[in-house]
Amino acid sequence: MGVGESIKKGFGAAGKSLSLIAVLFVFGTIFSLINVFLAPQNPDPNVPPPPALIVSSIVFIFLSIFFQAGSMGFMRDLIKTGSAKLDSFTANGAKYYVKLFLLGIIVSLVIGVFVMLAALAVAFLRDAMAPLGVVLAIFFAALGVYFLVLLFLSPYAAVVD
């Protein structure tokens, strides 16, 4: 399948899933409005954010995983069978929630490892071993990009099996 055919198929699938688009739009709008009302107007970096904003953000993260799982399963069903209903969205959200949640934890840990490795490379740059630090920084950057590409595709692989 060529690029043009892929784009045409993608827009066709989006046109068939307007109910899903509406649900995702409403979800995003609700949480955006909540954050607008909970966020301080003139934030002071020395003052922690309000507890309600922190709780709202945590709830948003957990619900976003459900919505991502549901929408990916919905689109998978739509592409494979040619049709999908909104009740498959909630079923897929529940079915793939734990997989995507654990995958998110793994992605966070991998990113944390690369941040730590990059920090070590920067530490080498400050010493007399600067050439080794540059080589390490380039190596970890290339390795990090490689893993980020794999991690970017991993939720799709988890839902498609």
Side-chain angles (χ1 to χ4, degrees):
M1 179 183 311
V3 173
E5 293 173 25
S6 297
I7 292 172
K8 185 177 177 182
K9 188 174 183 177
F11 278 112
K16 292 179 183 178
S17 60
L18 292 177
S19 59
L20 174 66
I21 292 170
V23 167
L24 295 176
F25 178 79
V26 168
F27 172 70
T29 302
I30 289 171
F31 270 97
S32 293
L33 289 174
I34 289 171
N35 282 331
V36 164
F37 290 113
L38 294 178
Q41 296 302 319
N42 297 315
D44 181 2
N46 298 323
V47 176
L53 182 61
I54 294 170
V55 170
S56 168
S57 298
I58 292 169
V59 168
F60 176 75
I61 290 170
F62 286 112
L63 283 177
S64 293
I65 296 168
F66 177 82
F67 276 77
Q68 180 185 16
S71 60
M72 291 174 79
F74 180 93
M75 293 307 292
R76 182 206 58 217
D77 294 345
L78 180 67
I79 290 169
K80 282 188 175 182
T81 65
S83 68
K85 295 184 180 176
L86 212 50
D87 55 339
S88 72
F89 169 80
T90 55
N92 284 318
K95 180 178 180 182
Y96 296 111
Y97 184 86
V98 173
K99 260 187 185 180
L100 291 185
F101 179 76
L102 294 174
L103 190 59
I105 291 172
I106 292 169
V107 167
S108 299
L109 291 174
V110 169
I111 289 171
V113 165
F114 280 107
V115 166
M116 295 301 290
L117 291 173
L120 289 173
V122 168
F124 275 124
L125 286 172
R126 292 182 185 201
D127 291 341
M129 300 177 66
L132 178 60
V134 171
V135 170
L136 285 174
I138 292 170
F139 173 74
F140 290 131
L143 198 60
V145 168
Y146 172 75
F147 278 111
L148 283 176
V149 168
L150 294 179
L151 294 174
F152 176 74
L153 298 173
S154 62
Y156 300 101
V159 171
V160 174
D161 294 327

